[in-house]
Amino acid sequence: MKLGFLTACLPGLSLEHIAAWAQAHGYESLEVAAWPLQGDRPFTATHIAAENMGDAEIARVQGIAQRHGLTLSSLAYYDNNLHPDPAERARVHAHVRCCIDAAASLGVPTVGTFVGRDPTRSVSENLREAERVFRPLVEHAGARGVKIVIENCVMEGWHPDGYPGNLAYSPELWEWMFDVGLYLNFDPSHLVWLGIDPIAAVRPYIHRIAHAQAKDIETFPALQNRYGFYGKMRDRKDAWDMGWWRYRVPGLGQVDWVRLVDVLYEGGFDGALSVEHEDPVWGGTEDKVKTGLEIAHRTLRPLVVR
């Protein structure tokens, strides 16, 4: 297992700068943000040009990783593969294919994305449609020796009423994904607020985890008593603010990292454990984000065997 982080938390820095910082601070791998250049959506970045992966870009990216002794664990492009607008959906699928081709060229084993959801259709209708649209993507990836990994994020901000916007949030849905040929990018934080024990949930599925993310979560039961499980309704000015929980860097929340990492090892997981930094306390500036990554490193480094 290697300890790394997702580069999207530092959108204004170059991949060279991030790699040098990662090496200096004891990280071993990078999950590289590969969104297309597309404005200011939160928690996205572009650290490689997946759609322009010619020989020069391949040499640049591989050279950065080699100079700093890092592996590239995954290319990250988390978007809605079931977007209700056909034109937007086609653009998403086209970029997923670019990321797959880029990963194959770079020797990166996985590409991360979301299943997504069309909020105008039922869950069963979405799942049937997802089976149709993902099979060609899975075949394209398999032919190039790449695995598509789906993060189990709820993406509640994608749904107009805060319901799940990414149909991959529970073990029930993981089993459906695996039948389609998809793999899991396991993130325990999302399970905690759903009331699912992440350690018990993940144990039977470790053989289908091709990548893992380390993000923590802090819940506030008194606020849940006010808002209920579905979170703020009248007062939700930010689609992502449920009101009774927030993400934290590992070590500042409620995930039992000692037991979780032990279960991953016990199950034979030998991929990357990649910090996904979305902590609002340690965010907002480059210095604070880097401090958050240092806190995560101090928490996880003793648990991940070099």
Side-chain angles (χ1 to χ4, degrees):
M1 197 185 303
K2 292 184 182 297
L3 181 58
F5 64 87
L6 172 58
T7 65
C9 60
L10 294 166
L13 301 183
S14 69
L15 184 60
E16 177 75 51
H17 182 122
I18 293 170
W21 187 91
Q23 179 188 33
H25 291 81
Y27 280 99
E28 302 163 297
S29 68
L30 292 176
E31 181 183 1
V32 183
W35 279 264
L37 292 170
Q38 53 180 359
D40 59 353
R41 284 179 51 192
F43 304 116
T44 66
T46 306
H47 288 124
I48 69 162
E51 61 271 52
N52 296 308
M53 190 56 63
D55 291 344
E57 181 70 352
I58 292 169
R60 181 186 77 87
V61 175
Q62 290 180 331
I64 289 171
Q66 290 166 3
R67 280 195 300 278
H68 298 291
L70 301 171
T71 61
L72 304 181
S73 63
S74 190
L75 300 188
Y77 171 53
Y78 290 89
D79 215 321
N80 188 353
N81 282 279
L82 297 177
H83 198 286
D85 179 345
E88 180 60 22
R89 185 189 294 191
R91 284 192 288 271
V92 172
H93 293 176
H95 195 69
V96 170
R97 287 176 176 269
C98 286
C99 288
I100 291 167
D101 293 341
S105 297
L106 293 166
V108 176
T110 67
V111 167
T113 191
F114 288 135
V115 171
R117 179 179 186 169
D118 178 347
T120 69
R121 305 174 72 179
S122 70
V123 170
S124 60
E125 289 171 333
N126 271 276
L127 295 182
R128 286 195 296 271
E129 179 68 0
E131 290 174 6
R132 183 187 71 81
V133 303
F134 269 101
R135 290 198 187 278
L137 295 173
V138 168
E139 290 173 6
H140 185 75
R144 286 154 181 78
V146 174
K147 294 176 179 177
I148 299 175
V149 294
I150 305 293
E151 184 189 348
N152 55 292
C153 182
V154 182
M155 294 306 288
E156 65 284 349
W158 276 354
H159 193 284
D161 293 319
Y163 301 150
N166 175 39
L167 298 177
Y169 55 85
S170 66
E172 175 192 20
L173 292 167
W174 301 348
E175 292 171 357
W176 163 83
M177 289 191 330
F178 301 153
D179 287 342
V180 179
L182 299 165
Y183 290 79
L184 181 61
N185 188 7
F186 175 67
D187 183 333
S189 65
H190 308 297
L191 296 173
V192 172
W193 74 266
L194 289 172
I196 299 172
D197 178 350
I199 296 170
V202 76
R203 194 183 293 273
Y205 304 106
I206 293 175
H207 65 292
R208 295 295 296 191
I209 300 175
H211 196 269
Q213 289 182 329
K215 187 160 77 261
D216 218 326
I217 186 169
E218 183 180 15
T219 64
F220 304 96
L223 291 174
Q224 186 181 10
N225 286 340
R226 170 173 171 76
Y227 295 121
F229 175 81
Y230 296 104
K232 291 181 182 180
M233 290 296 168
R234 292 176 55 207
D235 301 327
R236 190 185 301 191
K237 297 178 176 62
D238 180 343
W240 303 101
D241 180 14
M242 298 282 281
W244 64 272
W245 57 266
R246 63 184 180 181
Y247 294 128
R248 304 304 309 270
V249 293
L252 299 181
Q254 294 163 221
V255 174
D256 185 343
W257 292 103
V258 173
R259 293 294 305 125
L260 182 59
V261 172
D262 183 56
V263 165
L264 290 173
Y265 271 123
E266 182 181 1
F269 177 73
D270 61 358
L273 181 60
S274 180
V275 176
E276 185 183 21
H277 184 346
E278 296 181 355
D279 187 325
V281 177
W282 293 107
T285 70
E286 179 186 327
D287 286 345
K288 291 179 79 172
V289 169
K290 287 179 174 177
T291 299
L293 290 171
E294 291 184 61
I295 292 168
H297 185 274
R298 287 201 299 268
T299 299
L300 298 172
R301 179 75 279 166
L303 308 178
V304 178
V305 181
R306 288 184 185 269

